Amino acid sequence: MSIITQIKSEQVAKHGLPAAVFKDKDTYQKECDTLFGDGWASIGCGQQISKPGDILPVRIAGHSLIATRSKNGDIGVFHNICRHKAAPLIDEPCNKRSIVCPYHKWTFKIDGNLLSAPRYFGNENKVMSNEDKADKGLIEVRFALWWDIIFVNINGNAEPFEDFIKPLDDLLSSYPKDDIRMLSTTDYSGEVNWKLAVDNFLDGYHVPFVHSQACTVESVLEQDDLILSDNIVGLRLPNGASAKPAKTAKRLPHFTGLAAEKRGTQQWFGIFPNTLFFVDPCWVQTIVIKPMGETHTAESLSIYVVNDEAASDEYVEERAKLHDVLNEVNQQDIELLDKLQVTRSNDIANQGHLNTAWDQVNMTFHQMWLNKMTAQS
């Protein structure tokens, strides 16, 4: 009997997921095949590939992908394999006019179409026709772009992305999402199961104690739980931005046209399975969680300001301070999570107790995981 089939919903509500699922190899493999194959998982951000020819390779939950920006500005997502013998194509972020396989030099356009294959017909030295090339381009991956986040559905079977994201899209409809401008992307790596990284982000209780520079106890006492759908949960601090120390010496500009009653509101969300998303009146943060193994996780943290004014030379110092503070917070979490992996994956952790005053969102995330994993069993 697998670990998953033995988990009871009542136990999860009281104690959280059992320790074994944070280290079990078979469980991780099933997550790769189902959660990250069946659902809408994020892989990066559109502004990471801002110029024509930009290519972003991503490894996530056993899948190797590339996101590209074509010469006409369109984004594409493809499996990172040659159509000849599945050799990997791109190892590092880069900018190229074409993609050349290192194995046999098959060459692909940035839009994925096959450009050439040397001596494809052997001794018969003739040129490949368009018909010859038609079924040999890079394998496309279904994707969607939302708030600059690139979401993929690898097996192509998920519900329409617009339906998947609608509850959160509606909640944030008054924010001009197309105005955000990327400040930075920083990569992290931790010896931790990916679920613990997600769970930590959704834990408002720890913030004033681990990140005292970012938040006060008084502000998190106002925390509202947001259960938006079977895939989206979050937290809201109605006065978050005004009830903690300022992150910058001078206030960065707010979202253009943001209602006065929202100018102190912070909200952060977990979009199942691996997208962490924080919306402040003056900045936005996305963390893409990339499982690399049952006890190893990579992260990419991207920070945005909210309009062209905030991206101007007038706010250079404020942007630098914001970058430093948000990355300091994430580094504190990484250091904590590396230690938590050891203790939370030990069976003694099964005697822990969730706190109903603080852990409803975390419990909901655990139940989401259980429901989706058992539905596939």
Side-chain angles (χ1 to χ4, degrees):
M1 183 180 294
S2 72
I3 292 172
I4 299 165
T5 58
Q6 298 178 59
I7 303 172
K8 304 300 183 185
S9 178
E10 297 78 10
Q11 295 172 325
V12 172
K14 186 174 182 179
H15 304 291
L17 288 172
V21 305
F22 298 106
K23 62 182 178 182
D24 180 62
K25 187 173 183 178
D26 290 340
T27 298
Y28 173 72
Q29 186 57 56
K30 185 172 179 60
E31 291 172 336
C32 294
D33 295 340
T34 58
L35 305 183
F36 287 88
D38 291 346
W40 285 105
S42 59
I43 61 168
C45 299
Q47 292 181 44
Q48 289 180 268
I49 47 173
S50 59
K51 301 186 297 296
D54 280 352
I55 305 173
L56 177 69
V58 179
R59 286 183 56 228
I60 178 171
H63 303 283
S64 181
L65 310 173
I66 54 173
T68 67
R69 179 82 65 172
S70 70
K71 64 180 181 180
N72 62 9
D74 291 336
I75 289 176
V77 181
F78 307 92
H79 287 277
N80 188 17
I81 62 169
C82 180
R83 287 302 295 276
H84 177 212
K85 282 189 163 183
L89 297 169
I90 301 293
D91 296 325
E92 300 290 339
C94 56
N95 183 279
K96 294 181 178 293
R97 296 180 63 182
S98 59
I99 299 170
V100 181
C101 175
Y103 202 2
H104 299 98
K105 302 305 179 184
W106 283 33
T107 301
F108 302 87
K109 297 178 182 179
I110 298 299
D111 65 8
N113 290 310
L114 179 65
L115 185 61
S116 64
R119 299 307 296 250
Y120 183 78
F121 298 101
N123 288 332
E124 189 178 355
N125 190 19
K126 68 177 185 178
V127 177
M128 294 181 74
S129 68
N130 289 335
E131 184 178 356
D132 293 328
K133 299 175 185 178
D135 61 347
K136 300 174 183 66
L138 301 181
I139 300 172
E140 295 185 53
V141 176
R142 183 185 180 200
F143 79 96
L145 188 70
W146 180 84
W147 277 81
D148 200 47
I149 306 168
I150 303 171
F151 290 86
V152 297
N153 171 223
I154 293 172
N155 69 9
N157 294 328
E159 65 183 305
F161 182 78
E162 294 77 11
D163 296 341
F164 170 83
I165 205 66
K166 187 178 187 305
L168 184 51
D169 209 30
D170 289 347
L171 183 69
L172 299 176
S173 61
S174 63
Y175 291 77
K177 61 185 177 185
D178 293 334
D179 291 352
I180 62 174
R181 301 291 178 262
M182 182 176 281
L183 170 58
S184 64
T185 296
T186 307
D187 292 328
Y188 291 86
S189 181
E191 300 306 311
V192 63
N193 182 272
W194 69 274
K195 295 185 292 299
L196 291 178
V198 175
D199 187 78
N200 174 76
F201 184 84
L202 296 173
D203 184 326
Y205 193 15
H206 86 284
V207 177
F209 307 113
V210 178
H211 315 300
S212 57
Q213 77 276 31
C215 193
T216 65
V217 174
E218 289 73 21
S219 63
V220 296
L221 288 172
E222 300 179 342
Q223 171 180 303
D224 295 326
D225 297 340
L226 303 172
I227 313 297
L228 302 186
S229 74
D230 292 339
N231 295 291
I232 305 171
V233 293
L235 298 163
R236 176 190 290 130
L237 296 182
N239 301 300
S242 58
K244 62 178 177 52
K247 282 187 168 58
T248 59
K250 177 171 63 176
R251 172 70 69 188
L252 283 162
H254 291 79
F255 273 101
T256 304
L258 189 65
E261 64 269 17
K262 295 182 178 179
R263 292 194 172 191
T265 300
Q266 289 185 318
Q267 300 176 92
W268 62 102
F269 306 93
I271 306 171
F272 197 90
N274 71 320
T275 308
L276 311 179
F277 182 58
F278 198 117
V279 180
D280 178 273
C282 303
W283 51 269
V284 172
Q285 174 184 271
T286 295
I287 302 178
V288 175
I289 301 294
K290 293 174 283 189
M292 309 299 281
E294 55 268 26
T295 60
H296 183 58
T297 298
E299 296 183 0
S300 292
L301 182 155
S302 296
I303 303 168
Y304 299 80
V305 291
V306 300
N307 51 37
D308 288 336
E309 179 188 2
S312 69
D313 292 344
E314 181 180 353
Y315 293 96
V316 170
E317 292 183 10
E318 288 70 34
R319 293 196 301 273
K321 178 64 174 177
L322 178 65
H323 168 89
D324 289 346
V325 169
L326 293 181
N327 278 279
E328 178 187 35
V329 166
N330 202 58
Q331 183 60 43
Q332 290 170 334
D333 280 333
I334 291 289
E335 293 171 3
L336 173 66
L337 288 169
D338 282 352
K339 299 174 183 177
L340 185 63
Q341 174 64 35
V342 176
T343 54
R344 185 61 179 86
S345 64
N346 189 298
D347 286 346
I348 196 67
N350 294 332
Q351 298 182 41
H353 293 271
L354 295 182
N355 184 331
T356 56
W358 291 99
D359 296 327
Q360 292 298 318
V361 170
N362 298 96
M363 186 269 286
T364 302
F365 165 67
H366 289 212
Q367 295 283 9
M368 283 180 179
W369 181 93
L370 180 61
N371 292 338
K372 293 175 189 297
M373 292 289 280
T374 54
Q376 297 293 336
S377 296

